[in-house]
Amino acid sequence: MNIRSAFAAAQSGQNSRVSTGWLSSLKDRQLRQVVTEALAKNPDLQATAARLKSAREGTIIGRANRLPSVSASGNSSVSLSEDDVSDSYGLSLNASWEPDVWGRLRDLEVATVADYEAAVADFRSARLSLAINTAQSWCNLVTAEKQLVLARETLKSFQQNYQIIQRGYKLGTLRPLDDAFGRSNIASAERSLKSRQLARDEAARSLQLLLGRYPDADVVASGDLPAIPNIRAGLPSDLLERRPDLSARRLRIFASAKRADASRKNLLPNFRLTSSGGSSSSDLLNILDPGNFAASLAASVSQNLYSGGELTARSRQSLAENENQIRLYERDALTALREVESALATDTSLKQQEQHLLTEVENTALAEKWAESNFVEGLDEGNRPSILEVLEAQRRALNARASLISLKNQRLQNHLDLLLALGGSY
């Protein structure tokens, strides 16, 4: 693995396409801009990038353990006597190396590389999750603003109706009950408007946090929700290969297996080569003279005979950790499959609900139009709707429109959940 280029690869090329390539299918320029901003400025993603850099340094540590280590030290001293003052200087070099006879150090190095590759996969997963979450927050803001506009229209409509009710009440053609219902509708619409305004501001603040901005709700999402494109789920086996979080799990299984191998090899004899050399002189310049240099080389072998069962216990502990990683992978794989199946089933259900809701919106709009026109035109008493029927028709029409806005957002949210469950673009 090319450690030097892995970090850049985690943010570009195929990994970048997997994280954000699906944005082009939604055909929304503003959405693409906010996702790009989030990937550049989100604090959580930057923290994940820092952990990735830390894991990269771990690979250097793992490789260094297989190489010789060399250290140098120097000293000086001054001796005082009645007749003389003498100086003494010394220089020493020490080197040690553990030949990797059983491959234990190699196993540990491979494990650290696997840890780094898992960290790269975690970073890819974090990028994808952030991109999806940002898109969902953007859609929530668009939805909240459309609901706010509808709330304003609702209040205006109720206020206009109340003017009609007041005229009828003064003329004696409408009852106090009708007047009370008219005032009640206005109060309800005003309360709903305040609630929608708060929901809109909270949606804006949630988006700003993802973008790394100050959450003052000063962000506007203009336009409609993007259209939902078709998507192919593919085969379940493809899913297991495609999702970065599952790739990270597989790499951690491999790393824990290598650590378990290294832990077992700790029970075998340990070999080490050591070398030391140095020189000393009363003249500082002479300590570098080869004639004053003396060296020694030694080899040692050690075998742990008794440590209270520590090494054996550590070996069993490593094996248990490997089994734990395997079980976690099984759990996450099943969860991933469930997420895809649930998202597909939800999409089918929401499509059907949307068709019924479109019919409801159409019919309630017709009923509202008929009730208002017939009430104002004043048909004969047998066919003329009451003001309560007019208000009810209006309420149903507005509720149906609000439900359609929410359902469209719900479908889009589920579509984005499906993309996340599938591992992004592929």
Side-chain angles (χ1 to χ4, degrees):
M1 177 185 177
N2 189 345
I3 299 295
R4 199 176 287 271
S5 63
F7 178 73
Q11 305 181 82
S12 60
Q14 174 66 10
N15 290 329
S16 179
R17 193 184 74 82
V18 166
S19 296
T20 59
W22 47 268
L23 278 171
S24 59
S25 65
L26 295 176
K27 300 178 182 179
D28 189 310
R29 182 179 58 84
Q30 283 187 303
L31 175 58
R32 178 182 291 275
Q33 288 175 346
V34 296
V35 170
T36 301
E37 181 179 348
L39 293 176
K41 299 181 179 179
N42 180 263
D44 286 338
L45 187 63
Q46 291 175 346
T48 304
R51 290 193 293 272
L52 177 58
K53 293 176 182 177
S54 174
R56 180 176 57 187
E57 300 305 319
T59 63
I60 299 175
I61 297 172
R63 184 171 64 251
N65 289 333
R66 300 179 60 202
L67 302 175
S69 64
V70 180
S71 62
S73 62
N75 63 80
S76 66
S77 62
V78 178
S79 298
L80 301 176
S81 63
E82 293 181 357
D83 301 326
D84 192 17
V85 177
S86 61
D87 298 327
S88 177
Y89 303 94
L91 175 67
S92 63
L93 297 174
N94 297 282
S96 66
W97 178 50
E98 179 182 345
D100 196 16
V101 177
W102 315 114
R104 180 182 68 86
L105 297 178
R106 172 62 181 170
D107 289 339
L108 292 176
E109 180 186 0
V110 171
T112 58
V113 172
D115 286 337
Y116 177 71
E117 291 174 341
V120 171
D122 285 337
F123 183 73
R124 289 171 47 213
S125 181
R127 277 177 56 86
L128 175 60
S129 296
L130 175 61
I132 294 291
N133 289 336
T134 302
Q136 289 179 322
S137 291
W138 173 260
C139 293
N140 285 334
L141 179 57
V142 173
T143 300
E145 290 187 342
K146 292 178 75 66
Q147 295 283 20
L148 180 59
V149 170
L150 181 58
R152 293 192 181 108
E153 293 176 0
T154 299
L155 177 59
K156 182 178 179 181
S157 179
F158 283 166
Q159 287 172 338
Q160 291 173 345
N161 280 347
Y162 185 62
Q163 291 176 0
I164 298 174
I165 294 173
Q166 278 187 314
R167 287 198 297 267
Y169 180 60
K170 290 177 181 178
L171 293 173
T173 58
L174 294 179
R175 302 163 298 172
L177 177 63
D178 300 323
D179 183 71
F181 269 112
R183 286 186 282 107
S184 174
N185 279 352
I186 292 176
S188 176
E190 289 175 337
R191 176 183 58 81
S192 178
L193 179 60
K194 295 296 182 182
S195 176
R196 294 298 188 186
Q197 181 67 59
L198 178 61
R200 183 264 165 215
D201 290 346
E202 285 303 308
R205 291 187 180 98
S206 296
L207 177 62
Q208 286 176 308
L209 285 180
L210 292 174
L211 300 178
R213 300 185 193 176
Y214 183 79
D216 56 5
D218 186 20
V219 59
V220 178
S222 59
D224 293 326
L225 290 170
I228 301 175
N230 294 324
I231 190 171
R232 276 191 319 108
L235 299 175
S237 57
D238 295 336
L239 171 66
L240 301 182
E241 293 294 327
R242 191 166 55 239
R243 281 184 50 147
D245 56 335
L246 295 182
S247 296
R249 279 289 178 208
R250 288 194 298 274
L251 288 164
R252 289 192 171 93
I253 291 174
F254 179 71
S256 63
K258 284 298 179 181
R259 287 194 172 88
D261 290 341
S263 183
R264 287 196 300 270
K265 291 172 183 177
N266 271 332
L267 299 172
L268 301 174
N270 181 43
F271 299 90
R272 180 171 292 276
L273 296 175
T274 60
S275 177
S276 62
S279 65
S280 61
S281 172
S282 59
D283 188 342
L284 179 61
L285 296 178
N286 287 337
I287 63 172
L288 300 177
D289 186 350
N292 295 329
F293 193 81
S296 64
L297 177 67
S300 64
V301 58
S302 62
Q303 171 67 56
N304 184 279
L305 298 178
Y306 179 74
S307 60
E310 177 187 356
L311 295 181
T312 305
R314 289 187 181 278
S315 177
R316 293 195 300 267
Q317 185 182 51
S318 298
L319 287 173
E321 175 58 24
N322 179 244
E323 183 179 358
N324 173 54
Q325 292 296 331
I326 293 172
R327 301 307 174 202
L328 290 175
Y329 178 76
E330 291 177 354
R331 180 203 65 186
D332 290 352
L334 289 173
T335 299
L337 294 170
R338 182 197 62 79
E339 289 171 351
V340 174
E341 292 291 344
S342 296
L344 290 172
T346 300
D347 183 61
T348 300
S349 176
L350 291 176
K351 281 182 181 179
Q352 296 170 349
Q353 293 179 47
E354 186 175 21
Q355 293 303 315
H356 294 302
L357 187 53
L358 286 170
T359 302
E360 181 183 346
V361 169
E362 181 181 359
N363 286 297
T364 54
L366 288 173
E368 178 188 20
K369 183 178 179 181
W370 177 87
E372 288 180 349
S373 62
N374 287 352
F375 181 82
V376 173
E377 291 173 3
L379 296 181
D380 59 88
E381 289 299 327
N383 292 324
R384 182 185 184 186
S386 69
I387 189 61
L388 294 183
E389 289 176 317
V390 174
L391 295 177
E392 177 63 16
Q394 188 178 50
R395 184 189 64 80
R396 290 192 179 191
L398 292 169
N399 286 344
R401 289 172 60 189
S403 297
L404 184 60
I405 294 172
S406 296
L407 184 60
K408 286 183 176 180
N409 182 49
Q410 191 177 354
R411 277 200 65 197
L412 196 50
Q413 298 287 328
N414 183 71
H415 174 78
L416 293 168
D417 283 336
L418 178 58
L419 284 171
L420 181 60
L422 289 172
S425 301
Y426 58 95

